[in-house]
């Protein structure tokens, strides 16, 4: 008799557990569509963007900076001085997905790919392969932080910089420094975020309404729980 009672109780408990699991509501995937223009013109700063809300925060680059004398013919650099950085990206108090510096970008531990589609609506689903993570560059000439001494052949560079190589295709630079134009790619880029959310991005311009360079305009569709 005791055995039968125990079996009935165990069955009731299991049914209750499965019933609770069935009743748990599924998290709804929310989709946001908008256009943003990010002020990325200041070489000293990175602008961090929350794609879910459109919120932005600008911070001075956190790394040490090296003042380098650069031989424009050979590309050889000589480090003349180092300026210590302060803080870290832990000081960015928003839930950010992409950071912008001029035409360079990196993600918050996300991965990126460039598609062969020219419209956001043409991307029906996210591929499972082909995405690339950010890349760290140490003591390179990858990211310029201050150009004020360029006429003397001296430029401040980030001693440690993180850039996503795929986003390097978002704009094509044409022309020399002063007259350079940045032409946006025709193609849609895809971002997989560390929390599982995703975004489709189409870059539109590198100018603001006044025609000033360093303002990244893009349309995007963000999906996340």
């Amino acid at each position: 008799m005791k055995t039968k009672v125990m079996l009935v109780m165990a069955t009731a408990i299991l049914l209750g557990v499965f019933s609770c699991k069935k009743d748990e509501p599924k998290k709804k995937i929310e989709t946001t569509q908008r256009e943003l223009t990010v002020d990325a013109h200041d070489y000293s700063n990175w602008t961090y963007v929350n794609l879910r809300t459109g919120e932005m925060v600008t911070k001075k680059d956190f790394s040490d900076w090296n003042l380098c004398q650069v031989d424009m013919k050979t590309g050889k650099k000589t480090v003349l001085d180092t300026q210590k950085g302060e803080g870290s990206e832990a000081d960015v108090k928003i839930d950010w997905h992409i950071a912008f510096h001029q035409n360079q970008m990196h993600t918050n531990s996300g991965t990126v790919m460039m598609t062969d589609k020219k419209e956001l609506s043409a991307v029906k689903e996210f591929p499972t392969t082909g995405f690339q993570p950010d890349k760290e560059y140490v003591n390179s000439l990858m990211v310029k932080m201050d150009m004020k001494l360029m006429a003397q052949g001296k430029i401040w560079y980030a001693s440690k910089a993180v850039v996503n190589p795929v986003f390097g295709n978002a704009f094509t630079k044409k022309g020399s420094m002063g007259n350079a134009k940045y032409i946006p790619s025709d193609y849609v880029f895809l971002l997989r975020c560390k929390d599982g959310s995703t975004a489709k991005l189409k870059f539109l311009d590198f100018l603001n309404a006044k025609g000033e360079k360093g303002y990244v305009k893009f349309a995007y569709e963000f999906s996340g729980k």
Side-chain angles (χ1 to χ4, degrees):
M1 185 66 179
K2 278 187 178 181
T3 303
K4 288 184 179 180
V5 171
M6 292 292 288
L7 284 172
V8 170
M9 289 176 65
T11 303
I13 290 169
L14 285 171
L15 288 172
V17 169
F18 286 119
S19 175
C20 288
K21 286 186 177 180
K22 285 183 180 179
D23 292 340
E24 287 177 1
K26 292 183 178 180
K27 289 185 177 180
K28 184 180 179 182
I29 295 177
E30 298 178 357
T31 299
T32 301
Q33 292 180 317
R34 61 163 59 92
E35 283 188 9
L36 288 179
T37 299
V38 179
D39 181 353
H41 84 281
D42 191 327
Y43 279 96
S44 301
N45 299 332
W46 286 88
T47 298
Y48 298 83
V49 179
N50 180 324
L51 295 176
R52 187 190 303 276
T53 64
E55 186 179 7
M56 305 182 205
V57 171
T58 300
K59 294 284 187 180
K60 183 179 178 181
D61 180 75
F62 297 111
S63 69
D64 296 346
W65 294 2
N66 291 331
L67 178 61
C68 298
Q69 183 89 45
V70 182
D71 186 321
M72 297 303 177
K73 292 183 179 179
T74 65
K76 183 181 178 181
K77 66 171 183 177
T78 302
V79 178
L80 305 175
D81 193 9
T82 298
Q83 177 180 306
K84 287 292 183 182
E86 295 182 3
S88 70
E89 286 189 336
D91 298 323
V92 180
K93 301 304 182 184
I94 64 170
D95 183 17
W96 64 279
H97 301 95
I98 308 179
F100 293 79
H101 169 271
Q102 287 282 315
N103 62 319
Q104 296 168 317
M105 289 159 260
H106 72 261
T107 72
N108 191 357
S109 300
T111 55
V112 181
M113 76 171 292
M114 184 171 74
T115 73
D116 59 357
K117 307 300 183 185
K118 296 187 176 182
E119 301 295 335
L120 298 179
S121 59
V123 180
K124 303 301 182 183
E125 60 183 24
F126 268 60
T128 56
T129 60
F131 289 80
Q132 292 186 38
D134 296 345
K135 183 176 179 180
E136 184 177 72
Y137 298 85
V138 179
N139 293 324
S140 75
L141 303 181
M142 173 59 69
V143 178
K144 302 178 180 72
M145 303 314 309
D146 192 325
M147 304 283 283
K148 295 183 182 69
L149 300 176
M150 186 178 176
Q152 303 173 31
K154 302 174 184 177
I155 299 174
W156 286 97
Y157 291 92
S159 65
K160 184 183 291 186
V162 177
V163 176
N164 190 282
V166 179
F167 275 145
N169 299 306
F171 293 93
T172 300
K173 181 181 176 182
K174 294 186 177 181
S176 57
M177 288 297 296
N179 300 313
K181 293 183 179 180
Y182 292 84
I183 312 302
S185 171
D186 289 332
Y187 300 104
V188 173
F189 291 75
L190 304 181
L191 167 66
R192 282 191 180 277
C193 305
K194 64 180 180 180
D195 63 358
S197 56
T198 60
K200 310 173 190 176
L201 303 98
K202 178 72 184 287
F203 293 93
L204 304 173
D205 210 340
F206 197 67
L207 305 173
N208 65 8
K210 298 178 181 179
E212 298 168 326
K213 287 183 286 190
Y215 293 80
V216 180
K217 182 179 181 181
F218 63 102
Y220 70 93
E221 181 181 297
F222 177 86
S223 297
K225 295 179 181 180

